């Protein structure tokens, strides 16, 4: 250290300029001395002065650059002209030096708390230079005051802000009208300041930006900070298609980026209480009105159903003894022999005929009838043009109920093994973001990011509370419906549940309620650090909800031929795997594999839906069905659909699905998980519409509760779709481009458009499945052999 000071003193003797004090704001033009002689300027500075220097040299080259050394109180800063940034040369360089503040009495040896700044310039051959130094007057930023600024790749800027004690956090907001790429960094107040392109991301937190950047800062983490702006010479950091680099060194002039800087106050933690409490109060009100609605309307429906059921019993059963002789216990529920009459259809003449009770032996399902039963028993199935619920509910009640409750337990197991690692992963990822300071790792809506409990965007996480609460409410309503149904059966003193109405199996509805709750957990986990690699966490249970919804509708009138839990979840796992692959393998071969897989699944589902499990999707099943069709159908009917309602529905649904898949193969959208989510939701809605239309065509009238829920769900879906389409971020593009979509909060200064989507979509999903709870309560007093299957 002593030798360094001796060398500096010896070199200072050879200075060209006299050691007179230089003036701030004055431009000094000269040529460096020969043999590396120093040109020295000295400026008198005072405590808290901030100096910005500008150096320009026209004939300095990379081989013979102009070197400038700025000797400060506790450090030495050097600048080289021309400066090279990403293969581009800049002949003009501007830097802001660290503020001068007194650390001890020895720091300012001159009177009046003043010291000096020494500027030394030299080159190994004479080069021209222009140098000027100016005091930065407005170095400290003010709250809510917008500053208009300009910077370039060789002229970075930084300013300081001190967070007042009255605030818990503030937002550093930067807006620009041009699309030049720039890095905005928030760094601790210490020297040196990292304001170069190769070190700006070395400390603090930083974002890339084109037109918008917003960084929330909590006072408990950093009560004062520097805001640093470094413009990038290319779009490499902000765009997927960066500017092509020149093959050789290229001299260009600095392109200035114009932007505005504002420090905005964020709500304090006490102000967070109001939106949180109001949100919880809203969903508690939903609970209250749901309970009130169920109690009032439930009593009315119970009275109406009981009255109609008693009338049906009095008509169908002349005496209690005859009724007891026809209505079997649940061990034989749904069998064809449970009633004294069984109506079949003569497919040749199209008329109803009376048939004797038929006993189906050694067969549990219709699919097994077509595969392994005798010819006589099979003919009953094939000659029946109108299949009824009694025909598809012949299995033992307890076994069928266990089959559907496996959905609930299987889903709970999946949720535990899938959910716990996800939560652990995203929390670790959040910690990584804080330690690295790279805010480009997570795609938040930074303009409405409300930090709390160490989370960058607590509002986006908390807004998923609706899925959890309404999923639990759905389970409660299903339990209430089951309790009300069992109570009515006891009051009627007859086992109508074994011979009337659709079979009551609620395992799938419990699974749907659990899936909705898990969607809230997984969506909250995704929003801890939203990104392309985490998006599958948000969509996985959406796929499951859509698939379970379709299985539930199908199960209502097809309890014996519905898919088992392990098969259903295996198919869902395949689609979740495809969603994961689509994020990383968005190329033509992947899309072809996906299209083929989707088509095969669609074909299998269509065949099962049309033939109601009579034959399976296999070469043997296809051959069997063709032989049967040729044997029992007339030649001109062979190519005509036998079940026109199903055929029209399947034709429209398959046309929509095939068109959508072809569109995907041609366009190959990058957001593949969202692309895959569309078929699940659209097919579910199509199936619900088809089910309701078929009920009306068969002169069935849903109960008031289902109609009311359906209307509300339709209105909520319209509103929620509007907010979904106005997204505030997009992980399918670069972080800088995603922030161009960032939006301010629109509700309570706490929630943005995506949070409103969370609320409305949770309500929409709840109401949509609440329709299915009581959708067929109007059939409780109708015999199963009179309930059509569609």
């Amino acid at each position: 250290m002593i030798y360094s000071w001796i060398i500096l003193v010896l070199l200072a003797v050879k200075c060209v300029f006299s050691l007179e004090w230089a003036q701030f704001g004055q431009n000094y033009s000269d040529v460096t001395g020969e043999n590396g002689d120093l040109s020295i300027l000295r400026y008198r500075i005072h405590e808290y002065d901030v100096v910005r220097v500008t150096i320009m040299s026209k004939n300095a080259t990379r081989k013979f650059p102009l070197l400038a050394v700025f000797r400060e109180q506790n450090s030495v800063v050097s600048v080289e002209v021309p400066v090279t940034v990403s293969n581009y040369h800049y002949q003009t360089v501007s830097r802001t030096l660290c503020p001068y503040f007194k650390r001890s009495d020895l720091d300012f040896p001159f009177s009046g708390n003043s010291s000096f700044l020494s500027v030394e310039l030299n080159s190994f051959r004479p080069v021209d230079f222009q140098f000027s130094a100016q005091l930065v007057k407005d170095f400290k930023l003010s709250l809510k005051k917008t500053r208009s600024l300009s910077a370039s790749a060789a002229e970075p800027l930084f300013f300081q802000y001190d967070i007042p004690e009255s605030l818990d956090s503030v937002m550093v907001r930067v807006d620009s009208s041009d699309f030049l790429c720039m890095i905005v960094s928030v760094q601790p107040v210490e020297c040196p300041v990292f304001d170069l392109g190769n070190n700006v991301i070395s400390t603090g937190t930083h974002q890339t930006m084109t037109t918008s950047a917003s960084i929330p800062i909590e006072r408990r983490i950093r009560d004062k900070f520097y805001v640093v702006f470094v413009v990038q010479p290319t779009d490499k950091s902000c765009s997927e298609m960066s500017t092509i680099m020149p093959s050789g060194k290229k001299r260009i002039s600095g392109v200035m980026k114009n932007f505005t800087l504002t420090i905005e106050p964020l709500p304090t933690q006490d102000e967070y209480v109001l939106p949180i409490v109001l949100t919880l109060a809203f969903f508690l009100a939903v609970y209250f009105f749901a309970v009130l609605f169920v109690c009032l309307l439930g009593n009315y429906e119970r009275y109406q159903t009981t009255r109609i059921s008693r009338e049906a019993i009095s008509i169908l059963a002349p005496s209690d003894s005859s009724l007891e002789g026809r209505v079997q216990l649940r061990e034989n529920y749904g069998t064809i022999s449970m009633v004294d009459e069984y109506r079949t259809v003569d497919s040749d003449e199209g008329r109803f005929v009376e048939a004797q009770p038929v006993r189906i032996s050694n067969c549990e399902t219709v699919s097994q009838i077509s595969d392994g039963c005798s010819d006589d028993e099979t003919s009953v199935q094939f000659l029946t043009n109108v299949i009824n619920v009694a025909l598809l509910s012949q299995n033992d009640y307890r076994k069928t109920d266990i089959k559907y409750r496996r959905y609930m337990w299987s889903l709970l197991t999946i949720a535990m093994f899938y959910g716990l690692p996800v939560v652990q992963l995203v929390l670790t990822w959040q910690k990584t973001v804080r330690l690295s300071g790279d805010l480009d790792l997570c795609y938040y809506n930074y303009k409405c990011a409300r930090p709390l409990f160490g989370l960058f965007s607590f509002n986006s996480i908390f807004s998923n509370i609706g899925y959890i609460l309404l999923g639990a409410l759905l389970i409660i309503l299903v339990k209430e419906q089951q309790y009300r149904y069992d109570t009515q059966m006891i009051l009627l003193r007859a086992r109508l549940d074994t011979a009337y109405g659709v079979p009551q199996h609620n395992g799938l509805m419990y699974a749907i309620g659990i899936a909705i709750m898990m969607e809230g957990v997984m969506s909250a986990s995704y929003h801890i650090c939203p990104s392309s690699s985490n998006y599958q966490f948000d969509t996985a249970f959406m796929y499951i909800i859509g698939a379970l919804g379709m299985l539930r509708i199908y199960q209502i009138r097809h309890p014996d031929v519905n898919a088992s839990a392990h098969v259903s979840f295996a198919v869902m796992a395949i689609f979740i795997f495809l969603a994961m692959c689509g994020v990383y393998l968005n190329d033509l071969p992947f899309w072809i594999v996906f299209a083929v897989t989707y088509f095969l699944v669609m074909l299998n589902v269509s065949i099962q839906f049309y033939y109601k499990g009579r034959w399976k999707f296999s070469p043997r099943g296809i051959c069997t069905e063709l032989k049967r069709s040729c044997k029992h159908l007339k030649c001109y009917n062979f190519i005509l659909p036998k079940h026109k309602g199903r055929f029209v529905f399947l034709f429209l649904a398959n046309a929509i699905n095939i068109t959508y898949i072809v569109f995907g193969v041609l366009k190959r959208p990058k957001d593949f998980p969202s692309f895959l989510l569309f078929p699940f939701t659209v097919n579910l809605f199509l199936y619900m519409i088809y089910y309701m239309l078929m009920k009306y065509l068969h002169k069935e009238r849903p109960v008031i509760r289902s109609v009311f829920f359906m209307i509300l769900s339709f209105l909520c879906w319209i509103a929620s779709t509007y907010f979904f389409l106005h997204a505030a971020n997009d992980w399918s593009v670069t972080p800088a481009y995603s922030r161009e979509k960032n939006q301010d909060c629109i509700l309570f200064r706490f929630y943005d458009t995506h949070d409103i989507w969370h609320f409305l979509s949770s309500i929409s999903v709840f109401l949509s499945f609440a329709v299915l709870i009581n959708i067929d309560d109007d059939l409780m007093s109708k015999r199963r052999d009179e309930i059509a299957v569609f």
Side-chain angles (χ1 to χ4, degrees):
M1 185 66 181
I2 296 176
Y3 294 106
S4 300
W5 279 100
I6 295 175
I7 294 174
L8 288 174
V9 172
L10 293 175
L11 292 174
V13 175
K14 297 184 178 181
C15 66
V16 176
F17 294 132
S18 63
L19 296 181
E20 296 180 358
W21 296 111
Q23 301 298 316
F24 286 108
Q26 183 176 343
N27 188 34
Y28 295 92
S29 300
D30 208 332
V31 179
T32 60
E34 297 181 359
N35 301 322
D37 292 342
L38 293 178
S39 300
I40 299 179
L41 297 172
R42 299 182 67 191
Y43 293 86
R44 186 181 294 278
I45 58 174
H46 300 82
E47 189 174 8
Y48 304 119
D49 279 347
V50 181
V51 179
R52 183 169 178 81
V53 297
T54 302
I55 311 170
M56 184 181 68
S57 177
K58 294 182 179 180
N59 58 1
T61 63
R62 290 292 298 164
K63 186 176 181 180
F64 298 101
L66 172 65
L67 301 177
V69 177
F70 305 95
R71 186 154 50 89
E72 306 178 61
Q73 288 292 324
N74 297 285
S75 62
V76 176
V77 177
S78 63
V79 175
E80 182 180 289
V81 180
V83 63
T84 302
V85 182
S86 299
N87 285 4
Y88 290 98
H89 298 329
Y90 295 89
Q91 302 299 128
T92 302
V93 179
S94 295
R95 296 285 298 277
T96 301
L97 305 180
C98 273
Y100 294 88
F101 55 92
K102 188 175 181 179
R103 295 181 176 86
S104 65
D105 295 335
L106 299 178
D107 285 345
F108 292 92
F110 301 99
S111 60
N113 286 336
S114 63
S115 182
F116 68 92
L117 166 66
S118 175
V119 182
E120 295 134 11
L121 302 99
N122 78 311
S123 178
F124 285 99
R125 77 173 186 181
V127 296
D128 69 298
F129 68 87
Q130 293 183 11
F131 177 85
S132 64
Q134 296 183 357
L135 292 175
V136 181
K137 298 298 183 181
D138 299 326
F139 180 71
K140 287 197 173 183
L141 302 171
S142 301
L143 191 67
K144 295 183 179 180
K145 184 178 180 181
T146 302
R147 298 273 297 274
S148 297
L149 305 169
S150 298
S152 70
E155 301 175 66
L157 294 173
F158 71 89
F159 298 91
Q160 181 179 337
Y161 181 74
D162 300 339
I163 302 179
E165 295 184 358
S166 59
L167 296 177
D168 294 330
S169 56
V170 296
M171 179 73 73
V172 178
R173 180 165 178 171
V174 186
D175 296 292
S176 177
S177 58
D178 59 62
F179 292 87
L180 290 178
C181 184
M182 182 172 70
I183 296 179
V184 181
S185 175
V186 174
Q187 302 179 12
V189 177
E190 57 186 27
C191 292
V193 178
F194 297 92
D195 59 351
L196 299 177
N198 59 356
N199 62 15
V200 66
I201 64 175
S202 300
T203 186
T205 57
H206 60 273
Q207 288 182 359
T208 56
M209 70 160 288
T210 52
T211 62
S212 177
S214 301
I215 303 179
I217 304 297
E218 297 181 78
R219 189 170 63 85
R220 66 180 183 85
I221 297 177
R222 191 166 288 137
D223 58 351
K224 56 183 178 180
F225 52 86
Y226 289 144
V227 185
V228 184
F229 305 95
V230 179
V231 179
Q232 300 296 294
T234 68
D235 291 336
K236 181 179 180 180
S237 300
C238 297
S239 173
E240 295 178 342
M241 299 181 63
S242 60
T243 304
I244 299 176
M245 295 294 182
S247 57
K249 306 296 184 180
K250 182 179 180 181
R251 178 179 300 176
I252 64 172
S253 59
V255 179
M256 303 299 294
K257 181 178 179 66
N258 301 314
F259 56 93
T260 60
L261 169 63
T262 309
I263 305 295
E264 298 180 347
L266 294 181
T268 62
Q269 294 186 7
D270 294 337
E271 294 175 309
Y272 287 178
V273 174
L274 178 62
I276 293 175
V277 170
L278 289 178
T279 301
L280 295 175
F282 172 78
F283 285 108
L284 288 178
V286 172
Y287 267 72
F288 173 77
F289 285 110
V291 172
L292 183 64
F293 186 83
V294 167
C295 291
L296 296 179
L297 194 59
N299 289 334
Y300 172 77
E301 291 176 353
R302 186 184 302 113
Y303 169 76
Q304 288 292 100
T305 305
T306 303
R307 180 180 60 83
I308 296 174
S309 299
R310 290 186 184 277
E311 292 177 358
I313 293 175
S314 62
I315 295 174
L316 297 174
S319 64
D320 292 339
S321 58
S322 61
L323 177 65
E324 292 294 332
R326 292 197 305 269
V327 180
Q328 306 297 316
L329 297 178
R330 280 193 175 186
E331 284 72 7
N332 297 316
Y333 98 112
T335 57
I336 297 177
S337 59
M338 68 183 180
V339 291
D340 57 346
E341 296 177 347
Y342 179 67
R343 297 187 297 173
T344 63
V345 177
D346 190 327
S347 59
D348 294 329
E349 300 181 6
R351 59 185 178 84
F352 286 98
V353 296
E354 300 296 331
Q356 296 298 322
V358 180
R359 182 179 61 84
I360 300 178
S361 60
N362 299 325
C363 291
E364 291 187 291
T365 65
V366 176
S367 60
Q368 290 172 315
I369 292 173
S370 61
D371 288 338
C373 296
S374 64
D375 294 336
D376 294 339
E377 294 160 347
T378 306
S379 63
V380 175
Q381 305 297 322
F382 291 142
L383 292 177
T384 302
N385 197 28
V386 179
I387 303 177
N388 54 61
V389 173
L391 190 63
L392 299 181
S393 57
Q394 302 173 48
N395 285 353
D396 179 75
Y397 175 86
R398 289 170 299 182
K399 292 182 179 180
T400 306
D401 201 56
I402 291 174
K403 168 186 174 181
Y404 289 111
R405 288 188 178 270
R406 286 199 185 103
Y407 277 92
M408 177 180 65
W409 296 114
S410 298
L411 186 60
L412 281 174
T413 305
I414 293 172
M416 292 295 293
F417 280 92
Y418 188 82
L420 291 178
V422 166
V423 175
Q424 181 182 7
L425 175 64
V426 293
L427 290 177
T428 303
W429 200 249
Q430 173 91 152
K431 184 178 180 181
T432 301
V433 172
R434 286 200 174 275
L435 293 177
S436 66
D438 188 1
L439 299 185
D440 285 354
L441 296 176
C442 303
Y443 287 71
Y444 300 111
N445 175 19
Y446 285 95
K447 288 185 179 179
C448 189
R450 298 296 182 252
L452 187 65
F453 302 135
L455 302 171
F456 278 104
S457 186
F458 174 77
N459 55 305
S460 299
I461 300 170
F462 180 75
S463 61
N464 291 280
I465 191 68
Y467 291 105
I468 299 175
L469 295 179
L470 295 181
L473 180 59
L474 182 68
I475 295 176
I476 294 173
L477 293 180
V478 173
K479 191 67 177 178
E480 181 273 338
Q481 189 267 350
Q482 182 67 52
Y483 173 78
R484 180 161 52 89
Y485 179 83
D486 292 340
T487 303
Q488 286 180 269
M489 295 302 103
I490 295 176
L491 292 175
L492 292 173
R493 296 181 181 179
R495 301 312 301 264
L496 291 180
D497 57 335
T498 63
Y500 293 83
V502 295
Q504 298 293 315
H505 301 291
N506 291 318
L508 269 170
M509 287 302 299
Y510 289 129
I512 291 173
I514 296 171
I516 295 174
M517 296 176 67
M518 282 305 302
E519 170 57 28
V521 175
M522 302 305 291
S523 179
S525 300
Y526 161 72
H527 284 88
I528 292 178
C529 182
S531 65
S532 59
S533 59
N534 296 344
Y535 188 54
Q536 61 170 319
F537 303 153
D538 191 13
T539 56
F541 277 87
M542 291 184 184
Y543 304 146
I544 293 177
I545 291 173
L548 291 180
M550 290 182 278
L551 288 170
R552 165 59 183 176
I553 300 175
Y554 190 77
Q555 172 242 315
I556 295 175
R557 305 196 183 208
H558 312 77
D560 287 359
V561 295
N562 205 1
S564 59
H566 67 278
V567 172
S568 301
F569 285 117
V571 175
M572 297 177 206
I574 293 174
F575 280 99
I576 293 175
F577 175 75
L578 290 173
M580 183 272 294
C581 294
V583 175
Y584 302 100
L585 304 175
N586 196 9
D587 51 8
L588 185 59
F590 165 77
W591 278 93
I592 294 176
V593 172
F594 164 72
V596 172
T597 304
Y598 190 90
F599 178 78
L600 292 177
V601 173
M602 184 175 63
L603 181 61
N604 188 20
V605 172
S606 300
I607 292 174
Q608 295 296 324
F609 181 85
Y610 185 81
Y611 289 100
K612 303 303 179 185
R614 287 184 175 182
W615 59 282
K616 298 181 179 180
F617 183 56
S618 62
R620 179 183 177 185
I622 295 176
C623 294
T624 303
E625 178 61 19
L626 291 177
K627 292 179 181 179
R628 190 201 66 80
S629 299
C630 294
K631 179 179 180 181
H632 294 285
L633 296 179
K634 295 180 179 179
C635 295
Y636 62 85
N637 285 332
F638 182 74
I639 60 174
L640 297 177
K642 182 171 60 176
H643 310 288
K644 294 181 176 58
R646 298 178 216 166
F647 178 81
V648 172
F649 168 68
L650 288 174
F651 178 80
L652 293 176
N654 285 317
I656 293 173
N657 280 266
I658 293 175
T659 303
Y660 187 68
I661 296 303
V662 171
F663 168 80
V665 174
L666 296 177
K667 297 297 183 179
R668 283 180 284 170
K670 186 175 180 180
D671 188 359
F672 182 78
S674 296
F675 174 88
L676 185 58
L677 182 62
F678 179 83
F680 281 89
T681 55
V682 171
N683 289 332
L684 175 60
F685 286 130
L686 288 176
Y687 197 8
M688 293 183 68
I689 294 173
Y690 165 78
Y691 193 88
M692 295 301 298
L693 288 176
M694 295 302 290
K695 278 184 67 70
Y696 279 99
L697 291 177
H698 287 80
K699 302 186 184 310
E700 300 175 5
R701 296 295 179 264
V703 294
I704 299 177
R705 187 194 308 190
S706 295
V707 176
F708 179 73
F709 284 160
M710 183 176 298
I711 295 174
L712 285 182
S713 66
F714 179 75
L715 297 176
C716 286
W717 276 119
I718 294 176
S720 60
T721 302
Y722 170 81
F723 288 100
F724 177 77
L725 295 177
H726 290 75
N729 56 358
D730 183 5
W731 60 260
S732 65
V733 297
T734 61
Y737 289 165
S738 174
R739 277 186 281 275
E740 294 178 6
K741 297 184 178 182
N742 284 181
Q743 304 170 9
D744 293 319
C745 298
I746 63 173
L747 185 62
F748 305 130
R749 294 183 62 208
F750 192 77
Y751 296 120
D752 63 6
T753 55
H754 196 72
D755 299 328
I756 305 301
W757 150 257
H758 285 162
F759 293 138
L760 293 178
S761 63
S762 63
I763 297 173
S764 303
V765 171
F766 164 75
L767 292 174
S768 299
F769 289 109
V771 173
L772 300 181
I773 298 177
N774 307 95
I775 193 170
D776 282 325
D777 279 8
D778 57 308
L779 304 177
M780 292 178 63
S781 58
K782 189 173 183 179
R783 288 169 38 153
R784 286 182 187 170
D785 62 328
E786 297 176 349
I787 300 176
V789 173
F790 40 77

